[in-house]
Amino acid sequence: NCVSVMAKVNRCGQSAILSSAELDRLFDVMTPRCRAALSICRYTASRISEALALKWENVTNGYIVLEKSNTKTKHTRQVPLQPRLQQELERWRKTQISEPVRTDWIFSRTDGSTTRPTPRRTIDHALRTACKRVGLRGVSTHTLRRSALTSASDKGVPLRHIQSLSGHASLDCLSKYLQVTDGHKRAAALAFA
């Protein structure tokens, strides 16, 4: 049985939350496909399944549009396109054999099929390989979502604003993603009147 409060081991527990520096170190050793796909998760707080379901037409007018047919809560979300994500997507686009059209998957299958997106296991495997190279444990594709949400919360972004981007059905659901450290607790205790 998996226990939700323990660190992630063998697909049980919660995935690690990484700092921006740890994420940068990890991204430096990723394959281009993995780096681009997980950049979407990192900079939109999306799930890997949502990122892999994107087509180039979902990157429009300064937003990433996560269509309701591909989200867990079945609600469309529009997340502003963060400049670092835009750079990653432009870099990824340049690696393509031919210029993709709007209806192409951003991450089409590595076998050349344009009718289906890259399978999740391809990104999972590439991420595990990168984690071994830099010595990180407890990391999964969900680490990017948890890290993004925690980072925004730590920077003082109101939870309801974060929730509008993450697509969580309630603040209670969102709170399970956020890491609370001893430092956070000390700061909160010092703020008590």
Side-chain angles (χ1 to χ4, degrees):
N1 253 348
C2 294
V3 178
S4 64
V5 293
M6 66 183 214
K8 191 163 197 85
V9 177
N10 295 327
R11 300 180 189 254
C12 292
Q14 287 192 324
S15 56
I17 294 174
L18 302 178
S19 69
S20 184
E22 290 170 316
L23 288 168
D24 288 343
R25 197 172 88 222
L26 180 60
F27 274 56
D28 284 344
V29 300
M30 285 181 183
T31 64
R33 178 182 303 275
C34 183
R35 181 182 173 114
L38 291 179
S39 287
I40 293 172
C41 299
R42 180 179 183 179
Y43 296 117
T44 67
S46 63
R47 297 168 184 87
I48 188 61
S49 58
E50 295 168 340
L52 294 176
L54 291 170
K55 294 184 176 185
W56 286 107
E57 65 190 358
N58 296 117
V59 182
T60 182
N61 299 322
Y63 288 90
I64 295 276
V65 179
L66 303 160
E67 295 179 7
K68 66 182 178 181
S69 58
N70 299 317
T71 66
K72 186 175 178 181
T73 57
K74 302 301 178 201
H75 289 96
T76 296
R77 299 193 317 271
Q78 289 188 1
V79 181
L81 188 58
Q82 206 262 16
R84 288 179 72 181
L85 175 55
Q86 185 171 3
Q87 290 172 350
E88 286 294 337
L89 291 175
E90 287 171 8
R91 188 176 309 146
W92 174 247
R93 184 187 284 262
K94 289 177 183 176
T95 68
Q96 306 306 296
I97 294 170
S98 61
E99 180 64 21
V101 297
R102 291 175 24 97
T103 57
D104 285 347
W105 300 103
I106 294 176
F107 305 103
S108 57
R109 296 179 67 88
T110 56
D111 63 8
S113 168
T114 58
T115 59
R116 292 184 297 165
T118 295
R120 179 184 176 142
R121 68 182 171 276
T122 300
I123 302 301
D124 285 335
H125 177 72
L127 176 60
R128 281 194 300 277
T129 300
C131 286
K132 284 180 187 174
R133 290 183 66 193
V134 296
L136 291 172
R137 297 181 47 128
V139 174
S140 74
T141 56
H142 222 55
T143 289
L144 288 297
R145 182 167 165 82
R146 293 192 74 220
S147 297
L149 297 171
T150 296
S151 176
S153 176
D154 287 351
K155 291 175 182 168
V157 177
L159 291 181
R160 61 187 173 84
H161 297 181
I162 296 170
Q163 180 188 10
S164 73
L165 296 176
S166 71
H168 284 98
S170 69
L171 290 175
D172 185 51
C173 290
L174 172 60
S175 70
K176 294 173 185 169
Y177 279 72
L178 306 177
Q179 181 179 44
V180 179
T181 65
D182 287 340
H184 293 125
K185 292 175 187 175
R186 277 193 287 283
L190 291 173
F192 290 156

